[in-house]
Amino acid sequence: MNIVVIRWLVALSALITLTTYLFFSFSAPKKPVNSARSEAPINLKNISAQLIQPIPEPTLSSQELNIAKLGMQIFLDPNLSSNNRVSCESCHHIFDNGAENRQVSLGVQGLGARNSPTVFNVSHNSRFFWDGRLLAWKHKWMVQFTIH
């Protein structure tokens, strides 16, 4: 017989032997006859409620509250932009969804290249801007004033 045919027959018999072994050695898990635990359906709502907890609402001291009020005034003030017409809230609608409902944001120079990300829960972010070029929140306001 030809050597190629012999190799094919050996490979085929090895494949059949392995398939037969796997077929007969694995079976469905067996359930115990007297199961003490009831088989209740899995409730995904309860599981997700346990895994995903709401972010706790911060409690602010009077000094922190004053800083937050100042931050809100700065956020809403269009006079800080280069054309005195665009505030942070122009793109980051904090009274609606934290971003804007546009594909591409309008800045002081007109149509931009990206849309504005939401500012909701931004204190929990580790990177800022879409490309992640800013790692610290405390420097973001300086970058924004120089861009706009």
Side-chain angles (χ1 to χ4, degrees):
M1 252 208 268
N2 190 350
I3 189 77
V4 175
V5 174
I6 294 173
R7 286 183 180 171
W8 274 103
L9 288 175
V10 170
L12 185 60
S13 63
L15 183 64
I16 291 171
T17 305
L18 180 63
T19 304
T20 306
Y21 168 75
L22 291 175
F23 180 77
F24 288 112
S25 64
F26 292 106
S27 61
K30 295 180 176 108
K31 291 185 180 179
V33 178
N34 295 329
S35 177
R37 192 173 78 179
S38 65
E39 295 295 326
I42 297 173
N43 187 343
L44 294 178
K45 188 174 183 181
N46 290 341
I47 292 173
S48 65
Q50 293 171 0
L51 296 176
I52 302 171
Q53 297 294 321
I55 297 172
E57 189 171 326
T59 55
L60 301 176
S61 67
S62 61
Q63 182 182 5
E64 291 171 328
L65 188 60
N66 289 335
I67 292 171
K69 288 178 182 177
L70 175 63
M72 177 63 88
Q73 288 176 340
I74 291 171
F75 193 82
L76 298 174
D77 190 359
N79 294 320
L80 297 174
S81 66
S82 61
N83 67 357
N84 295 328
R85 287 188 265 156
V86 178
S87 70
C88 300
E89 212 279 326
S90 299
C91 298
H92 304 282
H93 304 296
I94 57 172
F95 301 109
D96 186 15
N97 63 358
E100 59 185 338
N101 296 325
R102 303 177 53 94
Q103 286 185 334
V104 179
S105 297
L106 291 174
V108 293
Q109 298 161 348
L111 195 61
R114 300 177 179 151
N115 64 346
S116 60
T118 185
V119 292
F120 289 160
N121 296 322
V122 74
S123 64
H124 299 284
N125 288 354
S126 60
R127 294 182 180 266
F128 301 94
F129 294 102
W130 284 115
D131 56 5
R133 67 179 174 249
L134 192 66
L135 298 176
W137 173 250
K138 60 186 174 184
H139 303 295
K140 184 173 173 67
W141 66 273
M142 290 187 288
V143 173
Q144 287 298 339
F145 291 146
T146 57
I147 290 175
H148 299 302

